[in-house]
Amino acid sequence: MDDQTRLELEAAAFRRLQKHLMEDRPDVQNIDMMNLAGFCRNCLSRWYQEAANARGIEMTKDEGREAFYGMPYADWKAQSQTEASPAQQAAFDKAFRDNVGE
């Protein structure tokens, strides 16, 4: 497989993952994703931002989130995010430290 085809397939897989998380399963909470998999939608938006910055494209955290979520993050939270239980929050604190850092 040539590099351009590989790049296009990887981009298509990313877009499908994004669609799945944003349209097919908006009910799955970020905190549960982080607790189970060590990443969530916010991580994906941060990786998007980091990739843009690495290519010399200035992008803020909020701009990266809006690019991934397709809307301002505050709007996504209002539409889809539920309150975390104390147990979810405790598990998240550990998952965040382990996977993202302090």
Side-chain angles (χ1 to χ4, degrees):
M1 179 182 309
D2 63 85
D3 288 344
Q4 183 60 37
T5 301
R6 181 186 49 76
L7 183 67
E8 291 170 7
L9 294 175
E10 289 170 352
F14 175 82
R15 287 189 299 270
R16 184 61 186 97
L17 173 61
Q18 183 181 31
K19 179 186 181 302
H20 182 76
L21 294 173
M22 301 307 297
E23 296 176 24
D24 301 340
R25 292 303 309 267
D27 59 308
V28 175
Q29 296 296 299
N30 279 344
I31 197 165
D32 294 323
M33 291 175 58
M34 190 68 177
N35 292 348
L36 292 172
F39 80 100
C40 67
R41 292 172 186 88
N42 289 336
C43 295
L44 290 164
S45 70
R46 187 182 77 248
W47 298 338
Y48 187 93
Q49 173 204 2
E50 290 170 356
N53 292 163
R55 291 182 159 260
I57 300 166
E58 291 296 321
M59 182 177 288
T60 66
K61 177 180 173 178
D62 288 338
E63 290 169 336
R65 283 183 171 178
E66 190 162 343
F68 185 82
Y69 283 87
M71 66 183 73
Y73 180 59
D75 294 350
W76 166 262
K77 283 176 61 173
Q79 289 177 10
S80 301
Q81 191 165 306
T82 61
E83 196 66 35
S85 71
Q88 285 174 309
Q89 189 59 54
F92 172 81
D93 292 342
K94 180 183 182 325
F96 191 90
R97 279 192 311 276
D98 292 349
N99 294 288
V100 179
E102 296 298 324

